Amino acid sequence: MNRVNKTINKKKSKGSGKTSRVIALILITALVFSFIPSYSGSAASNYMAVTSREAEPQKREVVYGKLAADGRSEKIFVVNHFDLSEMQSFIDHGDYSDVLQLTGENAPQLESGEVKLRAAAGSYYYQGNLKSRELPWLINISYQLDGQDIPAAETAGVEGELFIKISIKANPAVNAFFFEHYALQVSASLSPDKARLLETNDGATVAINGEDRVVNWLVFPGQEADLFLRLQVENFEMDAISFAGVSLDFDFDFEVGELSDETEGLKELSDGIGQLADGAKELEAAVIQLQDGLGEIETGSSELADNGSQLSQGAGELQNAFVQLEQGVTKYTGGVTSIKYGMSNFSSGLKQLRDGVAQLAGNGASLSGGSAEILSALQKLAAGLNGGSDLGEAAAQLPTEAEMLQLEQLIQGSAEFKAALDQLASAAAGINDLYTGMKSLEDSLAYMSSEAGKFVLPELPFVARNAEQWKAHLEGDYGISLTEDAWNGLLTELLGLSSMAEAYVSAVQILQGTLAMLNNAQEGVPALTDGVEQLLPLAGGISYLAQNYGEIHEGLVLLGAKVDDLSALSDDLPAMLIGLSELEAGINLLVSEYANFDSGLSDYTQGVSQLLAVFDGTAERTGLTAGANQLQAGLNELDVGSASLTSGMKDYSAGLAEYKQGVDTYVGGAFSLSDGIETFNSEGLDKFAQGFGTYTEGALEFKEATANIQVDFLEQLDQAIAEFTDMDFEPRSFVSEENKNVASVQFVLLTEAISIAEENNGPTFEPEIKGDFLSRLRALFIKGDE
């Protein structure tokens, strides 16, 4: 819509209303006398030739319509014009209520729809007032002030925003010929100090006429229209709105075909449209291929994401299992280390025990000899005491000083012998603890061997995959497809895991082999346990000997004390006799017990000599010492291997965590890719493809429609010119179909002006009866006091 932003605020002159009416009169007069067109060719037929006496005179009709301010038709009168070559009488037809003479000497005579005329040569005019108020157009003018409907009669003097709508439609009560062949020139004149134009139709033109603004619209034949004015008004007044109806009966003195050179660009346009349509078709095919390709990618990415989820789940399970395995291996490693240190202490104790047994074996003869001497001395002492019954003999039987000294030496030697036996018994007591520890070690190693057998190992022999093998495995078994950079990162992680897995397999194999060796019944811990078990009787015998000899030693000490007492009783013979008797009985008992001890000691010393073979071994059997050393070496190797295994397990566990994180990142990316492709397809590409398909169809239709655009344009141009200029147009009488010889018909319609009421200042359409033609025509539109 045209928007009028500039307003000229000038005070309207006092005579502006009168000036507007004079301009309207000039326009009407121009229409009345526009009989000679400025066109050549067949349009010259519009020229009204002077008729001969015999011929029916040719006429022109100018139809004037008085409209109310709301567009209703109130009155219609027609000015008829004839141009005669001589005095002539003739009849015109029209359904008039009355007729008026405008020129000539003879007044027209109206009778039953016929107007009888007699006129001299020259132009002759008469006015007929039609009974009907029907025009070819139904015109309706409505008013809204600040958005509220307002009657036309109440618009004068208003203030605010005024919206004027002019609706033009065909009148079905009138022959459609005039609506279909006549254009309407609609004009509205605005005084800027009364009405400032804000907006109007796009097709309107705004002209400046002095201080006023004249808005013009053109409504083509056969077209209905809705025209409007949006005004900012103050003390509103507006002159009449005019509607001029004319036929576009023009002719052009040229052939449309002469425009072929000027329209060559249309052919180029047609060729370009064809190329555009062909390119759109090719692009549509490419878009379809893109859809198919993305569909395959979407399917592949979805499968990739699903496979990746399985891979992530497997990696998670592997990671959890490996964490538990790592915890178990850590505990196992601690146990191996503890066993290794315990075995070291065992080897040290075993060596001390072997040295003690060797010492016992070396000193066995001395110990047996000393024991024999003690036994002989005791026997002599007992023999010396036996048989004496009187006091003289009793006194003679008392030990001499030499014998007393010998007894003291015997008691001292016995104490030393007892101390040696006690020390040996104490060392032998550790054999029981050693055996218990060895059995516990044997059980622990058996359990460890059982647990080590549960370590999961790949199919042997294990061969780590290289980069190419990993890639082939993932592509073939899981359908994974990645970019080169993504492959490089993933394969680096997998090669690291393969290296750690290879180290893990090696460590587990070493571990299992070492445990198998330690659990070997002939050369491992079970064999050592059996050897220690053979020492258990020795330990029991030594403890028994030590315990028994303690009693013997106590008897010797008691015997020495008794001898001392007897020496003190040398003056008291009765008491001494009693003491000797007790001493004799005690010595005999001591001799008897010591004889048993000496026999056991002899057996013990022989057994000790045989036990050295248990420690040192024989040609057929490995000794405890060599077995312990071998076991210690194996445990050392096992400890180193388990430490390496623990370190490898930690690295492998860390690698698995990174691998799991990488897999999760990859899976997340795969799902994002799948979702992104799906969204791109559903919300982008599919709609684009659908829209582009529609565009291609349209482009192809456009190509087909414009294939002959130059020829079609020239043909349609020719048809449009023929339609709007109506070169074959033949005017018809608006008044009566009986009027045949019609040169032209024109319409001039004026609405009632909107003005603030003043005394004796009402508008009128009543014509003056007196005066010449121009005076009477002037009186139709201009008030007498103006």
Side-chain angles (χ1 to χ4, degrees):
M1 295 183 179
N2 293 332
R3 296 192 176 271
V4 181
N5 296 320
K6 184 175 181 181
T7 302
I8 302 176
N9 295 317
K10 291 185 178 179
K11 186 175 181 181
K12 184 177 180 182
S13 62
K14 184 177 180 181
S16 61
K18 182 176 180 180
T19 302
S20 299
R21 288 180 172 82
V22 171
I23 293 172
L25 177 60
I26 292 174
L27 292 173
I28 295 169
T29 305
L31 285 171
V32 172
F33 292 102
S34 62
F35 299 121
I36 304 177
S38 58
Y39 301 103
S40 61
S42 62
S45 64
N46 285 335
Y47 175 73
M48 190 170 71
V50 178
T51 59
S52 64
R53 183 182 180 88
E54 294 79 12
E56 182 181 351
Q58 196 174 41
K59 68 173 293 189
R60 287 182 180 275
E61 296 175 358
V62 179
V63 182
Y64 294 94
K66 177 186 176 184
L67 308 179
D70 60 5
R72 289 178 293 106
S73 175
E74 294 183 337
K75 186 175 182 180
I76 302 174
F77 57 91
V78 182
V79 175
N80 299 282
H81 169 223
F82 301 89
D83 201 357
L84 306 174
S85 61
E86 58 182 354
M87 175 66 74
Q88 187 175 354
S89 296
F90 55 94
I91 295 176
D92 195 24
H93 300 275
D95 188 17
Y96 299 120
S97 61
D98 59 278
V99 294
L100 297 174
Q101 177 187 354
L102 296 178
T103 62
E105 299 295 333
N106 301 309
Q109 301 298 317
L110 176 62
E111 184 178 346
S112 301
E114 291 184 352
V115 181
K116 296 179 180 180
L117 301 167
R118 181 174 177 77
S123 293
Y124 178 78
Y125 297 88
Y126 85 92
Q127 174 183 331
N129 296 326
L130 289 175
K131 294 178 183 179
S132 173
R133 291 184 292 178
E134 299 293 342
L135 291 166
W137 303 274
L138 292 177
I139 300 174
N140 179 62
I141 305 175
S142 60
Y143 301 83
Q144 285 186 343
L145 181 64
D146 295 328
Q148 300 296 321
D149 293 336
I150 180 174
E154 298 178 9
T155 57
V158 298
E159 180 178 347
E161 183 174 298
L162 184 65
F163 186 83
I164 303 174
K165 180 180 179 182
I166 306 170
S167 175
I168 302 173
K169 301 182 181 300
N171 187 352
V174 177
N175 191 333
F177 172 84
F178 298 97
F179 181 80
E180 293 174 354
H181 290 85
Y182 281 75
L184 272 183
Q185 173 74 34
V186 185
S187 298
S189 181
L190 304 172
S191 175
D193 59 349
K194 299 288 185 180
R196 181 166 57 89
L197 180 62
L198 301 177
E199 187 178 5
T200 185
N201 300 82
D202 288 340
T205 60
V206 181
I208 298 177
N209 180 23
E211 293 183 351
D212 292 346
R213 302 290 182 271
V214 181
V215 184
N216 295 294
W217 298 269
L218 181 61
V219 181
F220 284 99
Q223 294 185 354
E224 297 182 345
D226 287 317
L227 314 176
F228 74 91
L229 293 169
R230 191 163 64 86
L231 309 172
Q232 186 66 40
V233 300
E234 181 178 358
N235 202 22
F236 177 64
E237 289 184 309
M238 186 175 70
D239 291 334
I241 300 174
S242 67
F243 300 83
V246 294
S247 64
L248 299 181
D249 52 346
F250 306 133
D251 194 7
F252 291 90
D253 207 10
F254 71 92
E255 295 293 334
V256 173
E258 297 175 1
L259 297 175
S260 59
D261 292 340
E262 286 76 5
T263 58
E264 184 64 27
L266 291 175
K267 186 175 184 306
E268 296 177 359
L269 175 63
S270 177
D271 295 340
I273 291 173
Q275 294 175 2
L276 178 64
D278 294 339
K281 189 173 182 180
E282 293 177 2
L283 184 57
E284 182 185 21
V287 170
I288 292 175
Q289 291 180 355
L290 178 61
Q291 277 186 294
D292 294 340
L294 280 178
E296 294 177 0
I297 293 176
E298 181 180 357
T299 302
S301 63
S302 178
E303 294 176 354
L304 195 64
D306 292 340
N307 291 334
S309 296
Q310 297 177 6
L311 185 63
S312 175
Q313 182 179 358
E317 294 174 354
L318 178 61
Q319 183 183 12
N320 293 334
F322 215 85
V323 168
Q324 296 177 358
L325 178 62
E326 181 186 0
Q327 294 173 351
V329 168
T330 300
K331 293 180 180 179
Y332 156 77
T333 303
V336 169
T337 303
S338 299
I339 291 174
K340 182 189 74 169
Y341 288 124
M343 190 63 197
S344 176
N345 294 332
F346 165 77
S347 297
S348 177
L350 188 65
K351 182 178 182 302
Q352 293 177 2
L353 182 60
R354 190 267 174 197
D355 292 343
V357 170
Q359 183 178 1
L360 285 175
N363 297 330
S366 299
L367 188 61
S368 296
S371 177
E373 291 177 356
I374 292 175
L375 178 60
S376 176
L378 287 174
Q379 289 175 344
K380 289 180 179 180
L381 183 61
L385 291 177
N386 289 332
S389 59
D390 56 9
L391 294 176
E393 291 178 353
Q397 291 178 354
L398 288 174
T400 63
E401 291 183 4
E403 289 177 339
M404 288 294 291
L405 179 61
Q406 185 179 5
L407 180 60
E408 289 178 3
Q409 290 177 349
L410 177 63
I411 292 173
Q412 184 178 359
S414 175
E416 293 176 356
F417 185 73
K418 179 180 179 300
L421 279 178
D422 289 341
Q423 184 177 3
L424 185 60
S426 177
I431 294 178
N432 289 320
D433 296 335
L434 176 63
Y435 176 74
T436 302
M438 289 299 295
K439 286 296 293 183
S440 177
L441 175 62
E442 182 179 346
D443 294 340
S444 296
L445 288 175
Y447 174 76
M448 290 172 63
S449 180
S450 175
E451 290 299 310
K454 297 178 182 179
F455 287 172
V456 179
L457 289 174
E459 185 177 352
L460 299 176
F462 173 77
V463 179
R465 289 190 180 99
N466 57 29
E468 293 181 356
Q469 291 170 335
W470 269 119
K471 186 175 181 181
H473 170 64
L474 294 176
E475 287 178 336
D477 295 346
Y478 293 96
I480 295 177
S481 178
L482 301 174
T483 62
E484 183 176 356
D485 291 341
W487 271 124
N488 291 336
L490 179 60
L491 292 176
T492 300
E493 294 292 335
L494 292 176
L495 288 176
L497 289 175
S498 293
S499 177
M500 286 187 286
E502 189 174 19
Y504 161 75
V505 170
S506 176
V508 170
Q509 288 177 328
I510 293 174
L511 172 66
Q512 291 176 340
T514 303
L515 287 172
M517 178 193 71
L518 292 175
N519 284 286
N520 186 274
Q522 284 73 35
E523 298 179 353
V525 171
L528 292 178
T529 304
D530 291 342
V532 172
E533 187 177 11
Q534 296 177 23
L535 297 178
L536 291 178
L538 171 65
I542 292 176
S543 297
Y544 179 76
L545 287 175
Q547 180 179 0
N548 288 339
Y549 190 77
E551 295 175 356
I552 294 173
H553 177 69
E554 289 177 359
L556 285 175
V557 172
L558 181 63
L559 178 63
K562 194 68 175 175
V563 171
D564 289 340
D565 291 342
L566 288 174
S567 298
L569 294 176
S570 58
D571 295 332
D572 187 2
L573 290 178
M576 183 181 65
L577 289 176
I578 295 172
L580 283 175
S581 177
E582 293 176 355
L583 178 62
E584 180 181 3
I587 287 176
N588 290 330
L589 177 61
L590 184 61
V591 169
S592 175
E593 291 298 327
Y594 199 88
N596 294 330
F597 169 77
D598 183 67
S599 175
L601 181 62
S602 177
D603 295 338
Y604 162 75
T605 54
Q606 293 177 2
V608 167
S609 298
Q610 295 175 358
L611 283 178
L612 284 177
V614 176
F615 287 96
D616 297 337
T618 62
E620 294 79 15
R621 187 180 182 87
T622 303
L624 285 178
T625 302
N629 292 335
Q630 185 178 357
L631 179 61
Q632 184 67 49
L635 287 173
N636 289 338
E637 183 178 354
L638 184 61
D639 185 49
V640 173
S642 63
S644 299
L645 180 61
T646 302
S647 176
M649 292 290 285
K650 290 181 178 179
D651 293 341
Y652 189 60
S653 180
L656 276 178
E658 293 179 1
Y659 169 70
K660 174 66 166 55
Q661 184 178 3
V663 169
D664 289 343
T665 302
Y666 157 73
V667 172
F671 274 112
S672 298
L673 173 63
S674 179
D675 293 342
I677 291 176
E678 182 180 0
T679 302
F680 175 73
N681 271 337
S682 61
E683 298 183 5
L685 185 59
D686 289 346
K687 294 180 179 179
F688 168 76
Q690 182 179 0
F692 198 82
T694 303
Y695 164 75
T696 302
E697 292 177 3
L700 293 173
E701 292 176 2
F702 190 38
K703 173 187 176 182
E704 183 179 355
T706 58
N708 300 312
I709 188 173
Q710 183 182 22
V711 176
D712 293 342
F713 172 76
L714 293 175
E715 289 178 355
Q716 292 179 17
L717 178 62
D718 194 24
Q719 293 174 4
I721 291 174
E723 179 181 352
F724 287 104
T725 61
D726 209 356
M727 289 181 289
D728 298 328
F729 173 77
E730 293 182 2
R732 299 179 187 181
S733 172
F734 177 72
V735 178
S736 174
E737 293 180 355
E738 297 183 53
N739 298 326
K740 301 299 182 184
N741 197 6
V742 179
S744 70
V745 176
Q746 296 175 343
F747 296 85
V748 178
L749 314 176
L750 291 174
T751 66
E752 181 181 2
I754 298 176
S755 59
I756 299 174
E758 295 181 7
E759 265 188 61
N760 300 322
N761 194 26
T764 178
F765 273 71
E766 296 297 331
E768 294 290 342
I769 300 176
K770 298 178 181 180
D772 58 14
F773 169 69
L774 290 178
S775 298
R776 292 180 180 183
L777 186 60
R778 178 179 181 276
L780 293 174
F781 298 98
I782 301 177
K783 299 174 183 178
D785 59 353
E786 294 179 347

